Amino acid sequence: MIKGIHHISMKCGTEAEFTKAKDFYIGLLGLKICREWPEGIMIDTGNGFIEIFTNGEGTHALGAIRHVALLTDDVDEITEKVKAAGYEVFIEPNDKTIASNPPYHLRMAFCFGPVGEQIEFYMPQS
């Protein structure tokens, strides 16, 4: 039986990329280290983990999985923090309504992360 998503995983091609990824997720976003080992790290997002390996051989490509959405209580604040740190925000904070039944209201923004990953900052609205 599936109980949820445990983690997402990414690989860094260089030590500099790995350091940049750690600085982004831990230093900038304020997530906490769960565990470390010689070739990787696991970071706690509050309801799952981001696993980052140091042993990637690097082609950065956008595949079938389009982005990682991180739940936040303030899309605008985290987006400004990311922009101030020099990361590209390619969709500014905005409100959306998914035309589902019932309609689903949210606020979101997107940026590129330290190893080219797309990150959505996501906040449901009532």
Side-chain angles (χ1 to χ4, degrees):
M1 171 168 76
I2 302 296
K3 296 180 181 179
I5 295 173
H6 181 267
H7 71 272
I8 58 164
S9 180
M10 62 183 82
K11 290 193 173 205
C12 297
T14 66
E15 190 63 36
E17 276 187 346
F18 183 67
T19 298
K20 189 174 179 182
K22 283 177 64 174
D23 289 345
F24 180 83
Y25 287 103
I26 298 163
L28 186 63
L29 299 186
L31 301 177
K32 304 291 183 219
I33 296 171
C34 175
R35 60 186 50 89
E36 289 184 85
W37 58 99
E39 53 282 323
I41 188 169
M42 192 169 280
I43 300 168
D44 189 351
T45 68
N47 60 357
F49 302 95
I50 297 172
E51 181 180 61
I52 305 172
F53 287 96
T54 62
N55 59 354
E57 291 183 17
T59 304
H60 296 242
L62 188 59
I65 296 174
R66 305 298 294 179
H67 66 271
V68 174
L70 296 176
L71 187 64
T72 181
D73 57 1
D74 194 331
V75 169
D76 297 78
E77 179 182 17
I78 197 69
T79 300
E80 285 306 312
K81 191 174 185 179
V82 165
K83 283 168 67 172
Y87 289 92
E88 180 185 351
V89 172
F90 63 93
I91 297 177
E92 292 289 336
N94 67 90
D95 296 319
K96 298 278 185 196
T97 298
I98 297 173
S100 58
N101 187 12
Y104 188 65
H105 308 287
L106 60 111
R107 186 154 183 82
M108 50 80 78
F110 278 83
C111 74
F112 287 110
V115 292
E117 71 277 23
Q118 291 187 8
I119 302 167
E120 177 182 7
F121 298 114
Y122 177 88
M123 180 178 68
Q125 298 177 319
S126 42

